[in-house]
């Protein structure tokens, strides 16, 4: 610092000396021009002497003599103007920066006080360096704050920065072109912003042309900054859409929360239901703790072959009220709470299962709570419950009890149970081959199947069941709603439809029901349905026969096997036997059996052919495969397919008249196709696709919460259930073609409800028109809703017919 100061002293003192020497030189020149040569020889003229002397003079002295001092003075004046303009531009730039800084006053960190140098120049210099670093850090932080503003804030800052830039550029252009300030500012603004019609190439002087092109270049730079800011904002909005951060503003839509294996089948069936006009016309909004982009890609791939349906995805948690608000759950028509996927290790962890149930209960509590902006009727809530929980362990029931208030309009709440009911379905299919296909036809929403529908009309109110079922020509009435709102499945003839006229009907679609009641006024052609009581004598000739005994082999043991054994025992005819092949232990209570069925256990590997030969599997009527429950879905499929191949090999080489019917659970349609191809031409096979069946139940309950518990009723040991009876329990040898209405009337003679026909080849015809005709033969079966499959009377009938 002191070195710099020492060099300034001689410079400041030298300036007067230069001016003094110039004056001396100027005086010497004047004197030399007026005096003659001292020698007096060959004197030169005045002009010649002056020219010769000028050649020897410095250039700066010559410029003074020529009168260039005025022009230099003018040039210095222009330079001062330019410097003044630059200073003004800098002041304007600083002023603009101060305006922006004032808007971001909270963004600038307070500058620490400068430390006082105690001694030496190094301390003072380091203090200045620290201050410069602090200023640089503050400016960097200020820029970060600015670029964190919304789009309009960043554009405002760019516009503010344009003001000093225009002024500085205008000053530079005014200096080189001698334009007026107004014109210079206007041209500069036009060039910077590339205004149409502004031409920067028409300047006459090269200096103004260069400045104009520099201004255009600066404009390109500022425009690029503006484009970058806007494009960054657009990109952030696109990312926001991809990550699901925006709110959904739909109303009366369907919200599905959580992701599991049943979701994709459920969405497929919703698409079919929408295509058939059975609901779900509004968008489906999915809330799950998955990446939105992954969800969108997965759904697009899986639903490529189904009718079009609008599905909106958002990432979040079902128990988070803010996430529920983002999908506008409180304005939805229904909310389906799925049981979320958990790891295989956590499926048997009590704490993990309790945590999942608590999260579901929190979601229900939020949806039914009035503190979350609930103003009108709350949405219907459908909760998937894989297991039946005790009352004290059911957190969802507690949430419902806490939010039940008489002064609020709450939507319906329904439970859909899954896992335990499928073990009953396996037992049903073991005893009645084709049973799984029957339930799939009724539970899955497809274009060529029949489903359950609730329907109400004033013309049905107050009518008895024996009169009401005859009013449906293209549907089958299987139940009615009592005055208390409870479903009566398979009612008696004297049961009466409630005042709302609510009934339960199986039909291809809702339009068929509407056409029967509202258009045809419930009038069925007389020849379609015979008179009441006219089939009594015929049915006396068609007693219910006792099913023959069953020899059943169970390959493997898992967590569902015990329940499946209990369900088989409830259906097994007298003389039946169950053989369990498993390396592991089997609970002693599962080996007890009952008076109609015995159970034995072979402790060997169920996958080995030798174990199957020991159990004489080729001579069994039914084989049920229980894959290990501790393995994944694909590993379980591999186990099951390997077992099917072993059974197929043994049966094919045995040359038997009757081959065993196989019941197996697989994870997807591909594995099902492989299993059916392996056993094709050998025997029959029923494949349980758990995800499809559960999603079918979820769909139908979502469309109509009054169907909740219907599928439990159909598979319960008590009450009415679905059975497939041989054709000769309805048809005599003298019968030819019969109308479906006639078969329905014959079923009513036993207080049963005929639902459909299963042909010997496996074709289903569910809920046909009452005027449809059938000629039944050996192997054909009638699907009925009945109290029992067989009873004591069936045993007596067999004893009588044996003689």
């Amino acid at each position: 610092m002191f070195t710099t100061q020492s060099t300034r002293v001689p410079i400041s003192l030298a300036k007067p000396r230069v001016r003094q020497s110039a004056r001396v030189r100027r005086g010497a020149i004047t004197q030399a021009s007026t005096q003659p040569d001292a020698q007096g020889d060959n004197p030169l003229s005045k002009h010649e002497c002056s020219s010769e002397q000028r050649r020897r003079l410095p250039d700066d002295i010559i410029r003074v003599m020529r009168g260039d001092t005025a022009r230099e003075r003018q040039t210095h004046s222009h330079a001062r103007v330019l410097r003044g303009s630059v200073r003004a531009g800098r002041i304007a730039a600083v002023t603009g920066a101060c305006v922006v800084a004032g808007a971001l006053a909270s963004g600038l960190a307070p500058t620490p006080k400068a430390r006082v140098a105690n001694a030496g120049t190094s301390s003072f210099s380091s203090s200045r360096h620290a201050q410069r670093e602090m200023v640089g850090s503050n400016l960097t932080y200020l820029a970060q704050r600015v670029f964190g503003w919304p789009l309009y804030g960043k554009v405002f800052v760019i516009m503010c920065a344009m003001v000093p830039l225009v002024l500085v550029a205008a000053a530079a252009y005014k200096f080189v072109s001698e334009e007026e300030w107004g014109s210079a500012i206007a041209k500069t603004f036009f060039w910077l912003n590339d205004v149409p019609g502004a031409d920067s190439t028409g300047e006459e002087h090269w200096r103004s042309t260069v400045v104009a092109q520099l201004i255009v270049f600066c404009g390109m730079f500022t425009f690029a900054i503006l484009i970058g800011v806007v494009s960054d904002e657009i990109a952030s909005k696109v990312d926001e859409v991809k990550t699901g951060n925006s709110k959904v503003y739909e109303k009366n839509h369907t919200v599905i929360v959580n992701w599991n294996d049943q979701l994709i089948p459920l969405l497929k069936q919703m698409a079919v239901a929408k295509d058939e006009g059975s609901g779900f016309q509004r968008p489906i909004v999915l809330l799950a703790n998955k990446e939105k982009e992954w969800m969108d890609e997965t759904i697009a791939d899986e639903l490529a072959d189904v009718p079009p349906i609008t599905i909106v995805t958002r990432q979040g948690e079902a128990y988070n009220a803010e996430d529920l608000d983002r999908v506008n759950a409180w304005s939805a028509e229904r909310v389906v709470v799925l049981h979320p996927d958990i790891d295989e290790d956590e499926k048997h962890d009590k704490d993990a299962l309790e945590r999942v149930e608590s999260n579901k209960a929190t979601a229900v509590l939020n949806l039914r709570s009035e503190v979350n902006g609930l103003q009108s009727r709350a949405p219907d809530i459908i909760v998937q419950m894989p297991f039946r929980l005790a009352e004290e362990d059911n957190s969802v029931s507690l949430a419902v009890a806490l939010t039940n208030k008489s002064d609020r309009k709450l939507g319906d709440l329904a439970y859909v149970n899954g896992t335990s009911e499928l073990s009953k379905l396996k037992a049903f299919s073991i005893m009645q081959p084709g049973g799984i296909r029957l339930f799939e036809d009724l539970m899955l929403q497809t274009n060529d199947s029949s489903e359950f529908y609730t329907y109400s009309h004033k013309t049905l109110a107050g009518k008895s069941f024996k009169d009401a079922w005859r009013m449906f020509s293209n549907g089958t009435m299987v139940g009615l709603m009592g005055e208390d709102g409870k479903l009566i499945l398979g009612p008696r003839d004297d049961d009466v439809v409630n005042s709302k006229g609510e009934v339960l009907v199986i039909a291809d679609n809702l339009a068929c029901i509407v056409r029967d009641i509202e258009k045809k006024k419930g009038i069925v052609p007389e020849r379609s349905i015979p008179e009441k009581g006219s089939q009594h004598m015929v049915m006396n000739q068609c007693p219910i026969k006792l099913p023959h005994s069953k020899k059943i082999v169970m390959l493997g043991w898992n967590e569902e096997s015990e329940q499946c054994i209990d369900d088989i025992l409830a259906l097994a005819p007298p003389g039946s036997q169950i053989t369990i092949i498993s390396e592991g232990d089997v609970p002693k209570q599962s080996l007890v059996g009952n008076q109609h069925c015995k159970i034995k256990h072979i402790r060997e590997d169920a996958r080995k052919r030798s174990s199957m030969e020991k159990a004489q599997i080729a001579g069994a009527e039914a084989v049920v495969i229980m894959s290990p429950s501790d393995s994944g879905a694909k590993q379980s499929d591999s186990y099951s397919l390997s077992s099917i191949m072993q059974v197929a090999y043994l049966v094919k080489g045995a040359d038997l008249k009757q081959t065993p019917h196989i019941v197996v659970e697989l994870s997807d349609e591909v594995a099902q196709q492989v299993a059916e191809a392996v056993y094709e031409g050998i025997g029959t096979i029923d494949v349980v696709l758990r995800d499809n069946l559960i999603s079918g139940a979820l769909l139908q309950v979502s469309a109509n919460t009054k169907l909740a518990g219907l599928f439990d009723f159909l598979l319960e040991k008590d009450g009415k259930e679905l059975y497939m009876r041989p054709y000769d329990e309805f048809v005599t040898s003298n019968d030819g073609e019969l109308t479906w209405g006639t078969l329905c009337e014959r079923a009513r003679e036993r207080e049963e409800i005929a639902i459909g026909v299963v042909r010997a080849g496996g074709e289903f015809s569910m809920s046909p028109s009452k005027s449809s005709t059938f000629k039944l033969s050996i192997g054909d079966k009638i699907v009925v809703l009945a109290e029992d499959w067989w009873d004591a009377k069936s045993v007596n009938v067999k004893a009588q017919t044996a003689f």
Side-chain angles (χ1 to χ4, degrees):
M1 177 133 191
F2 294 106
T3 304
T4 305
Q5 199 170 16
S6 64
T7 57
R8 288 179 180 174
V9 174
I11 292 174
S12 61
L13 295 175
K15 290 181 181 179
R17 291 179 181 177
V18 171
R19 287 193 292 269
Q20 183 180 4
S21 63
R23 286 194 296 269
V24 172
R25 289 178 182 177
R26 193 180 302 116
I29 293 169
T30 306
Q31 184 178 2
S33 62
T34 54
Q35 291 182 358
D37 185 17
Q39 301 294 334
D41 298 330
N42 299 322
L44 298 173
S45 64
K46 179 179 180 181
H47 175 73
E48 292 175 346
C49 179
S50 178
S51 299
E52 182 66 22
Q53 290 176 348
R54 286 174 183 173
R55 292 189 191 101
R56 297 193 301 266
L57 292 178
D59 293 336
D60 55 341
I61 303 298
I62 294 175
R63 283 196 301 269
V64 173
M65 295 174 61
R66 288 178 178 176
D68 292 340
T69 306
R71 286 196 298 271
E72 285 191 354
R73 208 177 290 120
Q74 184 178 2
T75 302
H76 292 324
S77 176
H78 282 296
R80 284 194 298 272
V81 172
L82 178 59
R83 286 194 295 272
S85 301
V86 172
R87 291 194 199 98
R90 290 175 179 173
I91 293 172
V94 172
T95 304
C98 291
V99 172
V100 177
L104 293 173
S106 60
L108 281 174
T111 304
K113 293 182 179 180
R115 293 174 295 178
V116 179
N118 296 325
T121 59
S122 60
S123 299
F124 186 74
S125 181
S126 62
S127 175
R128 292 287 300 272
H129 179 69
Q131 289 182 359
R132 286 195 297 269
E133 286 186 350
M134 182 63 68
V135 172
S137 300
N138 283 335
L139 292 177
T140 302
Y141 177 67
L142 177 61
Q144 292 174 351
R145 286 291 304 272
V146 169
F147 280 98
W149 278 14
L151 178 61
Y152 57 84
K154 288 182 278 192
V155 172
F156 172 75
V157 171
I158 294 175
M159 293 298 103
C160 290
M162 287 284 290
V163 173
L165 181 61
V166 169
L167 293 176
V168 172
Y173 178 70
K174 180 179 183 300
F175 173 72
V176 298
S177 64
E178 298 185 358
E179 291 276 355
E180 296 295 331
W181 268 107
S183 176
I185 292 175
K187 285 187 176 182
T188 301
F189 178 80
F190 295 155
W191 290 337
L192 279 174
N193 295 280
D194 196 20
V195 176
D199 185 11
S200 62
T201 62
E203 297 297 316
E204 297 180 355
H205 199 277
W206 67 270
R207 289 181 297 179
S208 60
T209 301
V210 171
V211 172
Q213 297 306 313
L214 289 175
I215 293 173
V216 171
F217 177 78
C218 292
M220 293 171 58
F221 181 72
T222 56
F223 184 72
I225 294 176
L226 181 62
I227 291 298
V229 169
V230 175
S231 62
D232 179 71
E233 187 71 17
I234 295 173
S236 64
K237 293 298 181 182
V238 172
D239 290 339
E240 182 178 338
V241 171
K242 287 183 177 180
T243 56
N245 293 328
S246 59
K247 182 176 179 178
V248 175
Y249 290 95
E250 299 287 346
K251 290 186 177 181
N252 298 322
H253 53 298
T254 298
V255 174
I256 303 175
V257 297
N258 298 325
W259 184 290
N260 63 16
D261 293 336
Q262 290 85 50
L263 175 64
I264 296 300
L266 176 60
L267 294 176
K268 290 181 179 179
Q269 295 182 62
M270 284 182 173
V272 175
K274 177 187 176 183
D275 187 58
E276 291 183 348
S278 301
F280 305 99
Q281 302 300 316
R282 302 290 298 169
I284 311 296
V285 181
L286 172 63
L287 176 65
N289 189 21
K290 304 284 186 181
E291 291 185 3
K292 184 180 186 302
E293 190 172 359
W294 178 86
M295 289 191 289
D296 291 339
E297 292 177 357
T298 303
I299 292 173
D301 292 341
E302 296 290 344
L303 272 63
D305 299 329
V306 301
I309 185 171
T310 302
I311 300 175
V312 181
T313 60
R314 291 291 180 268
Q315 184 175 0
E317 295 286 0
Y319 55 81
N320 190 330
E322 293 181 358
D323 291 338
L324 290 174
D325 181 61
R326 284 174 43 227
V327 297
N328 212 13
W330 287 278
S331 298
E333 181 179 356
R334 64 183 68 86
V335 178
V336 182
V337 182
L338 298 180
H339 189 81
D341 273 338
I342 57 177
D343 297 334
E344 291 292 333
D345 299 338
E346 296 180 339
K347 288 185 178 180
H348 304 285
D349 186 351
K350 184 177 179 181
D351 293 337
L353 294 175
E354 289 179 353
R355 182 172 62 254
V356 170
E357 293 300 325
S358 298
N359 291 341
K360 288 160 57 178
T362 305
V364 173
L365 186 66
N366 283 325
L367 291 168
R368 293 168 63 91
S369 176
E370 59 186 348
V371 300
N372 289 304
L374 187 62
Q375 298 176 354
S376 58
R377 182 182 182 275
D380 294 336
I381 303 175
I382 299 90
V383 183
Q384 181 186 5
M385 304 290 291
F387 306 98
R388 293 186 182 276
L389 300 175
E391 189 65 29
E392 61 272 12
D393 297 331
N394 195 336
S395 302
V396 176
S397 297
L398 178 60
V400 173
L402 291 174
T403 53
N404 275 336
K405 294 183 180 180
S406 58
D407 58 340
R408 295 175 55 219
K409 295 180 179 179
L410 293 173
D412 297 331
L413 187 135
Y415 299 97
V416 177
N417 298 288
T419 304
S420 59
E421 280 64 32
L422 293 187
S423 63
K424 297 178 183 178
L425 184 55
K426 292 176 183 177
F428 177 81
S429 188
I430 289 170
M431 293 299 171
Q432 301 187 98
I436 291 177
R437 292 185 57 197
L438 168 62
F439 275 85
E440 284 180 346
D441 192 275
L442 293 175
M443 294 173 69
L444 302 186
Q445 188 83 29
T446 60
N447 292 320
D448 54 353
S449 66
S450 300
E451 296 83 32
F452 288 94
Y453 296 93
T454 57
Y455 176 75
S456 61
H457 197 268
K458 58 183 180 181
T459 58
L460 297 170
K463 290 188 178 295
S464 63
F465 179 74
K466 64 181 178 181
D467 294 327
W469 75 265
R470 295 170 175 268
M471 299 174 64
F472 294 90
S473 178
N474 297 289
T476 302
M477 181 177 169
V478 296
L480 53 84
M481 301 292 178
E483 290 296 344
D484 56 357
K486 292 184 178 180
L487 172 65
I488 302 176
L489 187 64
R492 301 186 302 270
D493 280 344
D494 56 354
D495 285 331
V496 178
V497 182
N498 64 12
S499 57
K500 297 180 181 179
E502 295 177 298
V503 295
L504 179 65
V505 183
I506 297 177
D508 289 341
N509 50 62
L510 188 61
C512 295
I513 304 173
V514 173
R515 184 167 58 250
D516 286 346
I517 302 301
E518 299 181 15
K519 294 184 178 180
K520 295 183 179 180
K521 307 299 182 183
I523 300 174
V524 179
E526 296 181 359
R527 292 179 295 178
S528 299
I529 305 177
E531 295 180 0
K532 302 171 187 175
S534 62
Q535 304 300 308
H536 180 72
M537 297 298 296
V538 176
M539 292 306 290
N540 286 338
Q541 304 175 38
C542 303
I544 296 176
K545 298 178 180 179
L546 179 69
H548 64 81
S549 60
K550 298 283 186 179
K551 181 182 177 182
I552 303 164
V553 176
M554 179 177 287
L555 296 178
W557 187 267
N558 60 25
E559 59 185 8
E560 283 190 4
S561 299
E562 187 172 357
Q563 180 63 46
C564 188
I565 290 290
D566 292 340
D567 295 328
I568 293 174
L569 292 175
L571 296 172
S576 298
Q577 178 181 336
I578 302 174
T579 302
I580 303 171
I581 305 177
S582 174
E583 287 184 294
D585 295 331
V586 175
K588 292 182 178 180
Q589 62 269 21
S590 297
L591 299 174
V592 175
N594 61 18
Q595 59 180 341
H596 301 306
C597 183
K598 297 180 179 180
I599 304 175
K600 70 176 182 177
H601 176 209
I602 299 177
R603 190 182 293 272
E604 291 189 13
D605 189 350
R607 292 172 292 183
K608 291 184 178 181
R609 190 182 306 169
S610 59
S611 303
M612 298 181 187
E613 289 175 340
K614 187 175 181 179
Q616 299 179 351
I617 198 169
E621 278 82 17
V623 175
V624 55
I625 300 175
M626 293 291 186
S627 59
S629 56
D630 57 350
S631 57
K634 298 304 178 183
Q635 188 66 31
S636 296
D637 288 351
S638 176
Y639 177 96
S640 300
L641 292 174
S642 175
S643 300
I644 293 172
M645 287 191 294
Q646 297 288 0
V647 174
Y649 178 82
L650 292 173
V651 172
K652 194 172 183 179
D655 192 19
L656 300 172
K657 293 182 179 179
Q658 182 179 358
T659 57
H661 172 70
I662 296 179
V663 177
V664 62
E665 179 179 341
L666 297 174
S667 64
D668 54 40
E669 289 85 353
V670 176
Q672 178 185 12
Q673 293 172 5
V674 173
E676 292 174 347
V678 169
Y679 210 57
E680 185 178 6
I682 300 174
T684 58
I685 183 170
D686 273 342
V687 178
V688 178
L689 295 177
R690 178 184 301 270
D691 297 338
N692 286 6
L693 290 171
I694 296 176
S695 62
L698 284 167
L699 172 80
Q700 296 204 35
V701 176
S702 299
N704 190 346
T705 55
K706 294 178 181 178
L707 295 179
L710 170 64
F711 304 107
D712 293 350
F713 296 153
L714 293 176
L715 292 168
E716 281 181 349
K717 299 181 181 114
D718 300 326
K720 299 295 178 70
E721 301 166 89
L722 287 176
Y723 297 109
M724 292 185 286
R725 300 199 182 281
Y727 83 105
D728 54 1
E729 294 185 7
F730 294 88
V731 178
T732 65
S733 58
N734 298 324
D735 288 325
E737 287 190 348
L738 299 173
T739 64
W740 177 244
T742 301
L743 293 171
C744 290
E745 177 61 28
R746 291 184 178 184
R748 289 308 301 161
E749 288 294 330
R750 285 199 291 253
E751 294 188 351
E752 297 176 349
I753 300 175
I755 293 176
V757 176
V758 182
R759 292 295 191 178
E763 299 85 4
F764 280 80
S765 179
M766 302 302 297
S767 187
S769 171
K770 297 294 192 300
S771 59
S772 300
T773 58
F774 295 90
K775 183 174 179 60
L776 303 177
S777 58
I778 296 175
D780 294 338
K781 296 180 180 180
I782 304 294
V783 182
V784 296
L785 188 63
E787 190 77 30
D788 295 298
W789 185 26
W790 60 273
D791 55 16
K793 290 183 179 180
S794 301
V795 176
N796 293 334
V797 167
K798 183 177 181 181
Q800 293 174 5
T801 56
F803 291 97

